[in-house]
Each structure stands twice: as C-alpha cells, then as structure tokens.
C-alpha cells in the first residue's frame, strides 16, 4: 500500500524549518556556563624529534602536553586491523616525543576566548630536531627510506594480494594496455569543520561530549579506550552536523584531549576546527597510485586485469577504519561492475609523513573507478570501438543476477548494461560526435566520456569481520515508541547530517503505521538516547536503520492491531491498519485512541496484551549482508580549451539505480551533491605537499572546491531495480554520485584530446596537466616526424 | 583563526587619519573594506598594533568627473563602481571590471584604494588602472603627490606607498568616443583571483595604444609595442621576453597562459 | 595592551550597545555575544559565504568585517529575516526544491539569494549561478538552490504581470 507520504513520496523535509531560520544547533553554537576555548599548538614540520616544548611561565597552567595526559593514564589511539601482516601505529592525542606530520597536535592551550587561546599558542615554542621526511609514497616504500615509525621494518601498514595466476592470459591476450594512473591527495571539506564541546555532568556523573560526528557510539567506544573510562561514564551527542563525508566518521585526537580536559579541569571546553586546521592538519583522503594492465580480445572483451596499487595512508591508522581499509578495498573492488575471470592485484597501504587519510565519500571506489574506467576506454581505443560498446561487452548482464564476481562480490540485482544504453541515449552521443567532426568555431575541442560503477553499500558483518578493525556492524537497531497522544518517536543510532533521515525514516514509519509525518519524531545522534550503531557511513543508514525502523514499526503494528481488535470487539486476524486506524469490518479506531488506552485507560486492554506495550527495540539485517549494489552510468560532454587547458562541462547525465527510493527528492539531492564533489576531485581539488611534507594549500584561495559556476545542472534518470534482500528493496545511495565523475570527465577530456594525440591520466585534471599533455604529445609527434624524415 | 589584539580608530578627517598613521610608537595601518586585510588578520599574517579605519572620511568616498578626468576616492567600493551611478568617463570599463571582482558581498565593502594599496598582482584594479593610464594620488605628512599607477605598484604586495601615506584618490583620464577596451582574465572559478590578465586600451583619438600583462606575480607589465597590439607579435616568445626577470618568466605554462590572456584581450579590441 | 571599544549598532532592528575588542570580527560578535548563531563560519577568510549577513541592507562577509567597524550601522542576520517577505518566499522555495541538506551554508545562501532576487529580478539560471558564486555548498550540488531562486523570480514576475 503506497501512502501519500510513505515510501516513494517526494515530501518536503521536516528538518528544513529550523535550518532555514538559522535555528539549527551546531557544535559551534553551543555555549555552556564557564566554558573555555581550546587552541592547539601544531607541528610546524613533517618529521622530527621533539626536544622540548617551551611554555611561557605565565601560561603554564593554561597549556597541556602529552605528558600531562599520559600521567593520567590516557592512552594513544590504536586502530588495528586483524588482516595478517598489519603494522599497528600508536597515535597519542598530543605528540609524544616525535611528530610525524605538519599540523599534528603537540600542545593544547586553554583560554576564555579562542583568540586568547591562540595568543597563548603563539607563544608556545616547539623545539624540534628535524628528521628526513617521507613526502611521497612511492619513495617511502623504497629500501632505505626513513621510517615513520622507527620500530617498523618498512613504511607499509599492510600489503595485500588478491587473485592469482594471470601469466597465461598475459602471454596470450590479443590486446594488452597498460597505464600509470594517479589520484591526488584531497581534503574532504564539509562546510562546517569538526568541533567538540566537552563537559562533566556532575549529576549523571558522565563525561558529555557534544561533537560533530557521524558515529557517536563509535566515538564513545574509542574515547573509553583512550581515557580508560567505562562507556557508561561517557555520553556522546551529535547535534546538527554541517556535513561529514567521512571526516566526521572517526575518533579524533582533539576529541580525546577535550574529553580529558573537561574531566581534569572540571569546566566545559570547546574546540572548533577552523578552515586552516581542516586543510592543513587533517581531513586528508584519496591519494592512490596505480600500475595497471588490462588484457582483452579483439572485440574488447576483458580477459584479465592486473594491478599494483599504492595508497598514501599518512602517518597513523585512524579509528575505527584503520590505515588499510582504503588500499585493501582497492584490491577487492577494482574489477568494478565487469564480468571477467582472471585477476591479480597487489596493494600497499603506505605510511608517510602526511596526515592520516580518512575514508571520504565513495572511499576507494572513486579512485578505483577512475583507474578501471580509463582502462575500459583504453581497451576500446585499442580495438577501435566506442567505449560504451566495450562496456556493454563486459558488464554483468541482468540475466546473470544475482552474480558473484571475480573477487566474490555478490551483486544483488540490476541491469547494468541498460544504464549505459540510457546514458548514451540521454547525452545524445551522436550529436556530439557530429559536432566533433565539424569542429568548434572557437577552437575548443569537444569530448564525451562515460563511466560506469557499482557500489557495494550497507555491507555488514559478513564483510567487516574479515577486516578485524575496531568496529564490525551487526544487527542495526531502532526503537519505536507510540506516545500517549498517538504520535511516534523513533530512535536510531545512526546520525543524520544532511541525509534527511528525520524525514525519510518518518516516511518509512508512516508507510507501516500510517501515523502522519508531522507526528513522527526522529531522535538520533546521542548515545544516551539511541540504540548502539556503528553510525552513518558506507551508504548504510537507509538500508540498515531504515530496515530496523520498519521492523520495529511492524512489531508495534502487530500489537496495535491486537489491542484495536479487542477494543472493536473483533478478531485480531480480521483487523487491518488503514491510514493510522485499526479497522475491523466497518468499525475503526485510530492509533491515538489505542495509545490512550495503553497508557491512560489500561483497564480496557485485553488480558493477554503484549506486555512490551507500544514501545520496542528491534534489530535488523538484510537477508544478505554482503551489501546492496547500487550502480550508475555517468555520461558527460565537455569542451576543452586547448590553449588554456580549461574544461567546461556542457552536459552531464546520471542514470542510476538505487533500488526503491524512499524519497526521490532526497535521492536526487544526494546524487547532485555527490557529483559536485566528484567534479571537485576531477578538476579542482588537490592538497599539494612539497618535498619536506609541507602542505601548500591552507585556504579556500588555494584549495578550490566547486561552486555554482563549476557545477552543471546535472540531469538524473532513474532505474529502479529493488534489492531482493532489503526492506522495500532499497539500496544505499549516499556516496554514489561522487564515484564516477573523475572517471567520466577523464574519459571525456581524453576523447577531446584524442585528435592531438594527448592524454591525461591523473586527477585533478588541471589546466597545467592538460597543457602539459598537449605539449608532450606535440613534442613526441615532432620527434617521430623528425625520426621519420631522417 | 583569530586576529591578534589591536587598537582601532575611525577618524572622519583625513588629517586626523594621517596623524594617527604617522605615530611611530606603534605599527599603525590603514583599513578600508578589510576584504584583503580581514583574511590576513584572521590568518595572523598581519599583526598591527593600530588600525585606522578611513572609510568614514567623506572626501575619500567621493567620485566625480572633472573635465577630462574621473576622480575616484580611495574608499569608493567595487559595488558602487559596478552599479555605475556616476558620470562614467570610462564608457563602461569600470562597471564591467568591477562586476568581475570577487562576489557582491565582497564588492559591497572592498574598495578601489584598498585593492591598489594591497597590490596583489592579480588584482583587477591594478591591471585596469594601469591600462587606463590612471594616476594615483597619495596623501601623506608631506602633502600630496600623484604617481602613475604603472609606477606605483612595485611588486607582489609592494607599492611606492611611504610610511604614513595613504591613497587618497585615482585620476582616470576620460576615454574618447572611439576608444576600444579589451579585458581577459584566466580564472578557474568565478570570482577567483586571476591567474593571468590581459588588458588593452586603444584610443586613437588620444594617441593611446597600451596593453598590460598582469597577474604575473610581479608588477604589471606595460606593453606599447604596436607589433604586439596590432600586429601578430602576441606570441609566447615575445611574451616570455616581456616577462623575463619575473618569477614566472621561465615557466612555459605561465608564459603561455599570459600570452593567451593578452591575445584574447587584444581580440576584443580588434574584433 | 589593546583597548576595547564601546559600539552602538542595530542588530535585527534592535539597538545594541556593547564593549568589544577591536579584533573581534562581526560574526564572532553576533554568535558569541549576541547569541545569534544562525550566522555560520565556514572559512574565516571571505571565500565560502556561510557568514554572509546584511550591513545597512547590503550583503557582506561578517568574518572579515570588524565588529567595531559596524558602530552606527544596521546589521541583519538570518534570524532577522523571519518577517521579510522575500526571505519567506525563498525559505518556502528552498524547502520545495531541496535547496539544503545539512543546512550549514543555508543562512548565507538565503542572504545572498535575497540580494539576487532584489537586485537581479530578470536573472536567468546562468546569471543566478554567477551572482551566487560567492557562496559555497558542499552538500547540494547547487541544483536545488538554483531551482529555488528561479522559482521565486518566476513567481515575482508572474505576480508583477
Ligand atoms: C573571496 C575574495 C575574492 C576576491 N577576489 C578578487 C578578485 O577577483 N579581484 C580583485 O581585484 N580583488 C579580489 N579580492 C580583493 C578585494 O578586491 C579587496 O576588496 C581589495 O583587495 C582590498 O580592498 P579593501 O578596501 O577591502 O582593503 P583592506 O582590506 O581594508 O586593505 C588592504 C590593504 O590596503 C591598505 N589600504 C587600504 N586602503 C588604503 C588606502 N586608501 N591607502 C593606503 N593603504 C590602504 C591596508 O592597510 C591593507 O594593507 C577578493 C577578496 C576576497 C575576500
Ligand atoms: S566564513 Fe566568512 S566567507 Fe567563509
Ligand atoms: S547544505 Fe550542507 S553545505 Fe550547503
């Protein structure tokens, strides 16, 4: 039964009103009586031994270093992976004897205002003895490279090997193409930085940490480990959070420090990450390097794939995802949505003197898609076919679903080739090809690019226990409670920071119970008020917590029907829930009256009433928790200015399949936002470091994120193949938009550059790189002409 | 990211401002729209003892035409120049350029004087005023002096401004009816500072034919070579010569980008 | 030793007198002293637009405007636009078009969007994008915001006809 505001309805968001009036409540908005502000003294160099920290005498009481925390038993952050060979790092919340990246917190200063705290920080001098720096991952793995962690045997957190023998294919394949491909280190840049307010609640005797996080329960677990406090003594609250994208999906050193200080000093403290701290000291992501070879037959049918991949994981392993998630994920997902049988991939999570990398929207998939989709285009070029045809040749066809691919990924459902056909039709490829042949009056070069991916999302126990990291998602729980006045309260342990869950979870509950949206309240982001959850990451919230909400609401529906039938003097098996009322034949009673009966007129209840009442907590897992596989094909048309190397996006089409959409407006919003970030990855965003490990971008003047004029009016076409495994057939959709744009744009740019014989392989595809590619092509062309004439 | 502590004064008379800026017991600095100084303060790249806010000095906010010259007070905002509610002797050049500076919220406070005094090589007014052949009028303890903008900007964030001096106004010569203007900025994002700017003024009635290469990480380079402007001299080799000695003179990519910017500005004039 | 200054200004229609440190920027003054936390800080160097407010009715960056410089002026924040008819139309349109997700950029977006509606009543989508380019959003991909502004402009055009 479809409700006007249930699953599938494009309803307006419940969270909008407060946010549109500036009456949300973000961490930085919270001021507690007696609160002091924190400023961190951070390492000015990438690698050094700390000889000492000089603190002016008059500020001694306002400055704390690791020794102060250690004396109190505070432990370093440890995020160990159980994968064999993983080398563990210890990250003290303030540097302990050594600094390993520029921006690493060394001391914390406390004052009435942030400005005064910064005044103190400016007077604290960190005396360092500089050490040789690992600024580049490929150098860092060479023998003799300086060690980031001295007691390690090399700078590799983890090496993984996936797949097996491929030599035979390599020797016999008619087509072989090899590429070296690189993606830049980026920053995640939610518009709100990180922030935390910590205080000790004397009444409840709990440390209360209000923090901009995507995973309050995991932060609590991590804090408990570092501070040596029982989890029962800690409450973590996520208020309104201004975007996360992964940056707020970890335990941060600053949270440990703030938590310790609040307890130690017995007054509230607040730290708000400013933009420079965000860009320089943390929030890094996505630096991959691939050496990759594809083998194919003459039609472009893939016979095998071989790759070595390096990920620059930075100096420490982040809690809870660890330093190896990204690289190891490369190994398992590089084959993408394609069906081929021979595969070998070796990955390295490399430790360098840069900030730890954190999984950013799409995690390894964006890099993987960038690499794999370049290879598909390369194969197409080698066999002289249209790239989209070669995709059709290799994509898993719908009649093979569900399908286990070469790395044992279990694709649940969908028609991958159809997404390509629709995207190619929607972008009107023929028109662009004709325009390419004609040429542009302004001399620009037209190119069209396509990229397809599938995204494993909402993967659960089956996938994560193997990683052996501090967090393994199990049954996701939700609590549902009908209030005495017939409204509904939902409590979930995931956290909404733009994903619109206050609305979409209410839609799910409405679908089951028929209670009006306006009367459904979602409580989230608070360890004291919600069931345990690993939080919001991996495009999992709607699949997992949405499924749990549906399950809990069904349980309540059951109970409501029994009470209703009794009150209507009918049989429970004849009772139905319609529009928020229990009906038996012509008789009907609203849930409101049933709630009233349970809470305020219990004398009327049936004697065998379920004693759980109108409140329940239910756990949920999809039938298969290997993850849902949403997928999409992106097609883009660009104009490349060969004189300046600039790229204009002329049209951008997304054909995606997220299974059943709970709220199509919200799904579109996630895709638009993801594509914008993907365009940033493709064309603009780069966190450059010099040889000394110094970050070269520290403001939005030099770290460019796309704005209104850089993002086109993306066109989205939906396919809807329900997942056979989940409630309503939903699939995870949060990250997808950000995965394909770099690949699609790269292929489009190379399509445009083809007449010049030029090619780009690294992101971001900046004017410098495009001009360099054109220049290289023309010099090598000139050289070969010279060769020929000689 | 908070500024260091400083004092603040907001005089309403120019003399008073000059007196405050002349203090040698403190490092005093003028502030106008704070759209460049504000970020520098927040980043602690600027750490003054005293800021002298000059935006409430009435004469610095005036804009008026006097015969063949447009006199623009230093504290006239970009937004006012954009909106064009004055007798525009430049025939639309000023409003068009102003509209391309940053974003409206920045233009509402940022000033033409602050822009030139700040001397970011990529600043629009530096390129524009140089190409227009404007003079800057500087007021200081020793009175006033006028300097061509092309001589006033000495390098990256470096001007001929002496301690205690401020920019009082600009004098922009009026363009003749048949003057042609070309302006091309290479930006990766709307409102971003330019990576390469070409500006060209051809005003035969006044015998002016002038091109400017700006945003070249140094002072703007004035080109009056007719071969470049009217012939086919706007090529990378020639531009490399003109940029020789600047930090980007040997950088082929930069030279190329500046060549293209200038070429496209010239194309607007000759089109 | 620096000296605080006593300033008198209008904030959302109400006269306010306060002693401020000259170094305090307007956003901090509004947020920390006036508890008007609708004005957000996304960069503190003038680029992101999250802190955009009105000074004497004109949009400005509150992160790079000193509070002392607003002595004698009128400041309006998003909280002060509750009763503003254009802002009301925009709020409605932003919600209908899904012009916000996390909502962090939203107050600044509304202030700039209001200025576009009033100053550029005939703007096409492209002009909307250029005029709004000083406000960054990391969540929405801008499509919903452009659509929302388009919707308000169109409605006003129709109403005027
Ligand atoms: C996000 C952003 C984008 C921008 N993009 C552009 C752009 O695309 N193009 C562009 O040209 N500019 C750009 N700007 C800079 C902007 O134009 C500034 O307004 C301008 O550079 C400085 O003017 P101001 O009045 O704000 O000066 P302030 O910031 O107040 O002062 C700047 C400097 O000049 C000094 N000063 C100010 N007035 C005087 C005076 N009359 N005499 C002597 N010294 C003085 C100050 O002491 C200070 O050193 C941008 C700024 C921002 C924040
Ligand atoms: S906070 Fe003011 S512009 Fe970003
Ligand atoms: S809605 Fe999150 S930054 Fe715009």
């Amino acid at each position: 039964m479809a409700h006007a505001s249930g699953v599938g309805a494009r309803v307006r968001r419940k969270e909008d009103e407060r946010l549109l009036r500036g009456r949300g409540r973000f961490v930085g908005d919270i001021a507690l009586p007696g609160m002091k502000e924190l400023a961190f003294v951070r390492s000015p160099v990438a690698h050094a031994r700390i000889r000492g920290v000089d603190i002016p005498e008059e500020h001694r009481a306002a400055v704390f270093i690791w020794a102060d925390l250690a004396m109190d038993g505070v432990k370093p952050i440890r995020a160990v992976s159980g994968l064999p060979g993983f080398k563990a790092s210890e990250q003290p919340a303030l540097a302990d004897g050594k600094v390993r990246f520029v921006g690493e917190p060394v001391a914390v200063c406390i004052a009435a205002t942030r400005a005064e705290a910064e005044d103190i920080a400016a007077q604290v001098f960190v005396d360092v003895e500089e050490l040789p720096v690992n600024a580049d991952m490929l150098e860092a793995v060479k023998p003799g490279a300086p060690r980031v962690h001295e007691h390690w045997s090399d700078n590799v957190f983890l090496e993984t090997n996936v797949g097996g023998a491929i030599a035979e294919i390599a020797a016999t394949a008619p087509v072989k193409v090899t590429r070296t491909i690189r993606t830049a280190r980026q920053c995640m840049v939610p518009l709100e930085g990180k922030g935390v307010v910590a205080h000790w609640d004397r009444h409840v005797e709990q440390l209360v940490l209000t923090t901009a996080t995507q995973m309050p329960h995991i932060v609590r677990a991590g804090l408990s480990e570092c501070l040596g406090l029982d989890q029962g003594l800690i409450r973590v609250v996520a208020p309104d959070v201004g975007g996360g994208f992964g940056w707020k999906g970890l335990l941060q050193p600053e949270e440990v420090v703030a938590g310790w200080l609040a307890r130690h000093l017995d007054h509230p403290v607040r730290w708000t990450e400013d933009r420079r701290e965000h860009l320089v000291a943390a929030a890094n992501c996505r630096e991959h390097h691939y050496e990759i070879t594809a083998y194919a037959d003459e039609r472009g049918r893939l016979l095998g794939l071989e790759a070595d991949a390096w990920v620059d994981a930075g100096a420490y392993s982040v809690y809870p995802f660890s330093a190896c998630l990204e690289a190891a994920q490369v190994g398992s997902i590089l084959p993408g949505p394609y069906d081929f049988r021979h595969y070998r991939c070796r990955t390295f999570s490399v430790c360098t003197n840069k900030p730890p990398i954190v999984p950013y929207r799409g995690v390894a998939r964006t890099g993987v898609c960038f690499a794999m989709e370049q290879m598909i285009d390369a194969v197409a070029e080698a066999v002289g076919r249209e790239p989209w045809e070669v995709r059709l040749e290799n994509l898993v066809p719908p009649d093979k679903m569900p399908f286990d691919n070469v790395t044992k990924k279990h694709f649940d459902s969908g028609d991958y080739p159809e997404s390509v056909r629709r995207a190619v039709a929607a972008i009107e490829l023929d028109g662009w090809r004709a325009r390419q042949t004609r040429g542009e009056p302004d001399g620009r070069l037209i190119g069209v690019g396509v990229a397809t991916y599938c995204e494993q999302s909402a993967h659960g126990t089956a996938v994560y226990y193997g990683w052996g990291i501090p967090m393994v998602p199990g049954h996701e729980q939700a609590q549902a409670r009908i209030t005495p006045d017939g409204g509904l309260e939902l409590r979930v342990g995931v956290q909404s920071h733009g994903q619109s869950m206050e609305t979409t979870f209410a839609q799910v509950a409405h679908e089951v119970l028929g209670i009006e949206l306006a009367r459904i309240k979602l409580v989230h982001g608070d360890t004291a008020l919600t069931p345990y959850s690993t939080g919001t990451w991996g495009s999992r919230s709607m699949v997992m917590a949405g499924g749990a909400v549906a399950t809990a609401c069904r349980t309540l529906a059951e109970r409501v029907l029994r009470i209703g039938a009794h009150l209507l003097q009918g049989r429970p098996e004849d009772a139905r829930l319609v529009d928020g009322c229990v009906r038996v034949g012509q008789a009907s009673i609203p849930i409101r009256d049933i709630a009233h009966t349970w809470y305020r007129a219990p004398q009327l209840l049936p004697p065998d009433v379920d004693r759980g009442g109108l409140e329940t907590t239910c756990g949920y897992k999809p039938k298969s928790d290997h993850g849902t596989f949403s997928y999409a094909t992106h097609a883009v048309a660009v104009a490349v200015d060969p004189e300046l190397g600039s790229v204009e996006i002329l049209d951008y089409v997304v054909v995606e399949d997220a299974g059943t959409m709970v709220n199509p407006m919200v799904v579109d919003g996630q895709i638009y936002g993801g594509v914008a970030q993907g365009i940033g990855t493709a064309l603009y965003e780069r966190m450059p470091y010099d040889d000394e490990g110094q970050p070269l971008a520290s403001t939005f003047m030099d770290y460019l994120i796309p704005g209104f004029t850089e993002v086109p009016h993306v066109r989205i076409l939906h396919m809807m193949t329900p997942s056979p495994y989940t409630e309503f057939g939903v699939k995870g959709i949060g990250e997808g938009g950000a995965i394909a744009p770099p690949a699609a744009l790269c292929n489009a740019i190379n399509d445009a550059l083809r007449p010049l014989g030029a090619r780009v392989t690294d992101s971001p595809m900046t004017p410098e790189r495009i001009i360099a590619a054109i220049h290289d092509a023309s010099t090598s062309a000139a050289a070969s002409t010279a060769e020929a004439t000689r | 990211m908070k500024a260091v502590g400083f004092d603040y004064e907001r005089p309403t008379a120019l003399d008073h401002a000059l007196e405050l800026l002349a203090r040698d017991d403190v490092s005093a600095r003028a502030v106008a729209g704070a759209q460049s100084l504000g970020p520098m303060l927040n980043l602690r790249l600027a750490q003054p003892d005293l800021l002298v806010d000059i935006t409430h000095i009435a004469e610095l906010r005036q804009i008026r035409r006097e015969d063949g010259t447009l006199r623009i007070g230093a504290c006239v905002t970009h937004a006012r120049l954009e909106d064009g509610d004055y007798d525009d002797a430049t025939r639309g050049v000023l409003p068009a350029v102003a509209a391309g500076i940053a974003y409206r919220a920045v233009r509402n406070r940022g000033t033409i004087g602050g822009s030139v005094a700040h001397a970011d090589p990529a600043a629009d007014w530096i390129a524009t005023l140089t190409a227009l052949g404007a003079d800057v009028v500087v007021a200081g303890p020793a009175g006033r002096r006028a300097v061509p903008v092309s001589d006033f900007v000495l390098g990256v964030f470096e001007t001929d401004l002496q301690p205690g001096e401020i920019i009082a106004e600009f004098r922009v010569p009026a363009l003749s009816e048949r003057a042609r203007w070309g302006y091309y900025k290479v930006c990766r994002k709307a409102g971003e500072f330019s990576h390469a700017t070409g500006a060209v003024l051809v005003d035969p009635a006044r015998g002016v034919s002038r091109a400017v290469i700006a945003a070249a990480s140094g002072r703007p380079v004035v080109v009056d070579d007719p071969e470049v402007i009217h012939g086919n001299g706007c090529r990378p080799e020639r531009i490399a010569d003109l940029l020789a000695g600047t930090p980007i003179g040997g950088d082929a990519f930069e030279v190329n980008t500046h060549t293209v910017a200038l070429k496209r500005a010239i194309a607007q004039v000759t089109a | 030793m620096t000296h605080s200054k006593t300033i008198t200004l209008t904030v959302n229609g109400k006269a306010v007198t306060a002693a401020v440190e000259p170094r305090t920027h307007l956003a901090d003054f509004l947020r920390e002293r006036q508890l008007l936390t609708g004005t957000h800080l996304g960069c503190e160097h003038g680029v992101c637009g999250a802190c955009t407010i009105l000074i004497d009715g004109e949009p400005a960056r509150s992160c790079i405007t000193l509070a002392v410089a607003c002595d004698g002026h009128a400041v309006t924040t998003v909280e002060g636009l509750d009763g503003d008819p254009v802002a009301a139309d925009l709020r409605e349109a932003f919600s209908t078009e899904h012009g916000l997700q996390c909502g962090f950029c939203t107050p600044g977006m509304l202030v700039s969007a209001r200025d576009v509606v009033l100053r550029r009543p005939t703007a096409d989508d492209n002009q909307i994008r250029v005029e709004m380019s000083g406000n960054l959003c990391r969540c929405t991909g801008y499509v919903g915001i452009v659509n929302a502004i388009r919707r308000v402009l169109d409605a006003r055009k129709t109403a005027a006809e």
Side-chain angles (χ1 to χ4, degrees), chain A residues 191, chain C residues 100-106 137-140:
Chain A
L191 206 58
Chain C
L100 67 158
Q101 290 181 22
C102 77
F104 196 79
C105 68
T106 310
C137 173
R138 194 59 157 168
C139 300
T140 63

Side-chain angles (χ1 to χ4, degrees), chain A residues 701, chain B residues 21 29-40 51 54-55 60 74-76 78 100-103 106-107 109-120 122-126 152 161 165-168 183 185 187 191-194, chain C residues 45-48 61 64:
Chain A
M701 298 276 191
Chain B
L21 288 166
R29 192 159 182 173
V31 61
Q35 301 301 288
S36 291
L37 192 54
M40 291 173 64
L51 284 188
I54 55 173
T55 58
L60 299 186
C75 290
V76 170
H78 311 320
I101 298 176
Y103 319 105
V106 171
R107 298 198 290 272
R109 299 194 69 79
T111 67
I112 187 169
S115 179
V116 173
H118 185 57
D120 187 316
D124 287 273
W125 291 132
I126 291 183
F152 181 74
L161 214 54
E165 285 185 332
I166 64 166
I167 296 177
Y183 194 67
K185 277 205 282 186
C187 294
E192 199 206 4
F193 270 107
S194 171
Chain C
H45 45 257
V47 183
C48 78
R61 306 291 209 217
I64 49 172

Side-chain angles (χ1 to χ4, degrees), chain A residues 32-256:
Chain A
L32 299 176
M35 186 177 81
K36 301 243 163 118
E37 303 269 359
L38 307 183
F40 285 87
V41 177
R42 294 174 181 278
S43 174
V45 294
H47 198 193
R49 236 177 289 288
I50 301 178
R51 285 205 207 98
V53 179
D54 299 342
I55 302 164
E57 203 42 50
E58 69 268 31
H59 296 311
R60 191 62 196 88
V63 182
F64 299 88
I65 58 174
W66 177 247
D68 300 310
L69 280 71
M71 212 155 60
D72 228 13
V74 178
K75 301 212 172 48
I77 298 171
R78 266 174 74 85
V80 180
S81 160
L83 291 173
F86 181 82
K87 298 189 193 79
S89 65
E90 300 214 323
Q91 181 180 16
L94 296 172
D96 176 16
K98 208 178 151 179
V99 285
R100 295 186 175 85
F101 64 88
V102 173
E104 182 168 357
V106 177
V108 62
C109 308
I110 188 157
T113 64
R114 171 66 177 246
E116 288 163 29
E118 287 186 21
D119 292 347
I120 297 172
Q123 297 170 54
V124 174
F125 173 69
V126 187
D127 184 11
V128 295
E129 175 193 334
E130 290 196 51
L131 297 169
V133 171
N134 285 302
D136 181 87
M137 57 177 155
L138 298 183
E139 296 296 322
V141 294
K142 288 186 178 157
R147 301 276 154 72
V148 179
H149 300 278
E150 272 112 353
H151 58 289
W152 290 13
S153 51
D154 55 22
N155 289 316
V156 180
F157 279 105
L158 182 72
E159 175 182 339
T160 67
N161 284 281
V162 186
I166 197 165
E168 201 182 314
I169 295 291
T172 57
V175 173
K176 171 184 169 186
V177 283
T178 298
R179 291 278 188 278
T180 299
I181 292 168
R182 192 152 185 158
T183 63
R185 185 167 267 256
Q186 274 182 252
C187 261
M188 283 173 267
V189 190
L191 206 58
E192 177 206 38
K194 189 57 209 184
V196 50
V197 173
H199 76 281
W200 183 260
D201 183 328
R202 296 186 194 177
H203 160 55
V204 194
E205 297 193 17
Q206 269 185 329
L207 172 65
V208 181
L209 205 92
T210 306
T211 183
T213 185
Q214 306 171 212
M215 37 172 60
H217 293 271
I218 297 300
V219 169
R220 174 161 89 155
L223 273 179
S224 159
E225 288 165 28
C226 290
L227 297 179
L229 279 179
D230 279 357
Q231 294 204 24
L233 296 181
I234 303 173
R235 174 182 180 186
V236 174
V237 183
D240 277 320
V241 172
F245 315 118
W247 173 229
K248 295 167 184 172
L250 70 152
L251 173 70
Q252 285 176 316
E254 292 87 350
E255 287 171 321
V256 176

